[in-house]
Amino acid sequence: MSTPALYDPADPSRSAVALVNHHLTWLKLGGLYLDFTKTPRDIPEGRGWCRAEPLPEVLWPAHAELAVVVHFFPDPLFRRNDNTGHLPPGAMQHWTERLDACADALADCGFVVEEWGIPRTPDLHSGADLVVYRLPAGRTPSPRTAEDLRHAHPPRPNFQTRRSTDIWPIEALLERADPPLFSRHEQQDTGALRTGRCIVRDVDEHLWPPGTQDCALVTWEPAPLYQRAPNQSTPPPGAYTHWLQGVTYLAQTLIGAGYQIRRRTRPSHPETDRDDTFLVYLPIPEGTDPPSTTSLIRPSTRPRWKAERPVA
């Protein structure tokens, strides 16, 4: 195996993607290839292929040193015809076997592999998604319980409009705060948001952490007076106090409204960052009945997570 790309904690997204894509290329399972309707020429026919992409740090599993999303695409011979909906014979078996094989291969390279959120199936989707991460020595993944499986969401076709999280209640909450943290009239009111400004985005369903629902990302930006210019190496005077007060006020506003929040493990600071992002979510209530599923679902017995397998 050639020397893998080095992981740089100061540039976690780009270096983690480079590291995992290096392993995928060495395993002849993928790499940096943009056209998912085809298969890279150096991958044997019938394997399918994978590509790693960044995962926001706030979504990283507990204690992870690095984490990415790995997209799996089945071999073109086994893909659903998007025009007719026809699923080729053997597509389900190919999907199950190859997705498991990719997970096992990455686990053998020292990564932990998990599936989160809305499950995907070959009759409804063009590919599947895996959360791939690395833990420090001595750490084990958070256990997956029967509750996680009970809370699993049913497959939903990606050719229908997906049920994205309704982010407007969070926007309205931040807009009503006194002082406000959100404005729908960006150009007019940005300068008046003295506690900083927030941007709210929904989270792709395959990235919803187990046991959660209605996830959103809320990114806080400091007020213009305290923003570090691109050519500045240090923030303006008072920036740290403003930063601490702003993110504390945001957290209190969200928690006070009944939301749960998560922040990345790596501390944020105005000298190293330009914003701070919170994962905002609601837990699935206890006693929630599992939703009904479609008749075609991936019949894998692979556990919710797979760590490095012991050497026989």
Side-chain angles (χ1 to χ4, degrees):
M1 180 177 180
S2 60
T3 303
L6 294 177
Y7 173 67
D8 181 6
D11 187 11
S13 293
R14 183 162 27 182
S15 61
V17 168
L19 176 63
V20 176
N21 274 327
H22 173 89
H23 283 278
L24 289 171
T25 301
W26 177 74
L27 292 166
K28 292 193 179 298
L29 292 173
L32 295 174
Y33 195 76
L34 301 179
D35 187 355
F36 70 87
T37 63
K38 301 178 182 178
T39 301
R41 283 178 293 181
D42 58 344
I43 297 179
E45 183 177 341
R47 282 196 176 187
W49 68 284
C50 299
R51 180 181 68 214
E53 292 187 352
L55 179 68
E57 285 184 77
V58 71
L59 288 169
W60 287 14
H63 311 299
E65 292 182 327
L66 61 90
V68 300
V69 177
V70 169
H71 301 297
F72 163 80
F73 303 102
D75 187 88
L77 293 175
F78 296 100
R79 291 196 187 128
R80 174 178 55 85
N81 187 311
D82 290 335
N83 296 322
T84 65
H86 173 71
L87 192 66
M92 174 59 79
Q93 181 180 359
H94 170 78
W95 180 288
T96 301
E97 291 179 352
R98 292 311 307 159
L99 186 58
D100 284 351
C102 291
D104 286 339
L106 287 168
D108 288 341
C109 292
F111 297 102
V112 181
V113 184
E114 294 184 357
E115 293 180 80
W116 287 2
I118 306 296
R120 297 194 173 190
T121 56
D123 60 325
L124 300 178
H125 305 95
S126 58
D129 299 283
L130 300 169
V131 176
V132 176
Y133 61 100
R134 190 173 69 189
L135 290 169
R139 287 282 187 182
T140 57
S142 300
R144 294 289 175 256
T145 65
E147 285 291 291
D148 293 321
L149 298 178
R150 184 175 64 81
H151 287 163
H153 300 268
R156 209 167 11 245
N158 65 349
F159 46 82
Q160 293 180 0
T161 302
R162 70 180 183 87
R163 191 198 72 84
S164 60
T165 303
D166 290 329
I167 62 175
W168 68 264
I170 299 177
E171 293 177 339
L173 169 69
L174 300 179
E175 190 173 29
R176 292 193 308 267
D178 186 20
L181 285 159
F182 177 84
S183 173
R184 301 181 190 279
H185 308 286
E186 184 174 334
Q187 294 182 348
Q188 177 181 350
D189 295 338
T190 296
L193 299 181
R194 61 182 183 275
T195 53
R197 180 174 74 99
C198 291
I199 300 171
V200 185
R201 296 168 290 157
D202 63 0
V203 179
D204 288 340
E205 290 172 323
H206 69 272
L207 295 179
W208 290 0
T212 63
Q213 62 181 353
D214 293 334
C215 298
L217 293 177
V218 177
T219 298
W220 177 87
E221 297 177 344
L225 179 63
Y226 298 103
Q227 291 180 7
R228 178 164 48 91
N231 59 348
Q232 287 181 314
S233 58
T234 58
Y240 178 71
T241 299
H242 170 74
W243 188 289
L244 183 62
Q245 291 175 343
V247 296
T248 301
Y249 175 51
L250 171 60
Q252 292 173 343
T253 301
L254 292 167
I255 294 173
Y259 291 99
Q260 296 192 15
I261 62 173
R262 180 191 299 176
R263 298 172 69 184
R264 74 184 190 194
T265 302
R266 185 167 60 95
S268 63
H269 195 281
E271 290 186 352
T272 55
D273 301 281
R274 301 194 181 278
D275 53 46
D276 195 356
T277 297
F278 289 51
L279 175 66
V280 181
Y281 62 93
L282 296 173
I284 296 177
E286 293 294 329
T288 302
D289 291 329
S292 59
T293 61
T294 62
S295 58
L296 182 59
I297 187 167
R298 194 167 71 87
S300 175
T301 57
R302 186 163 61 85
R304 293 283 289 179
W305 62 267
K306 184 177 286 290
E308 183 176 4
R309 293 183 294 182
V311 177

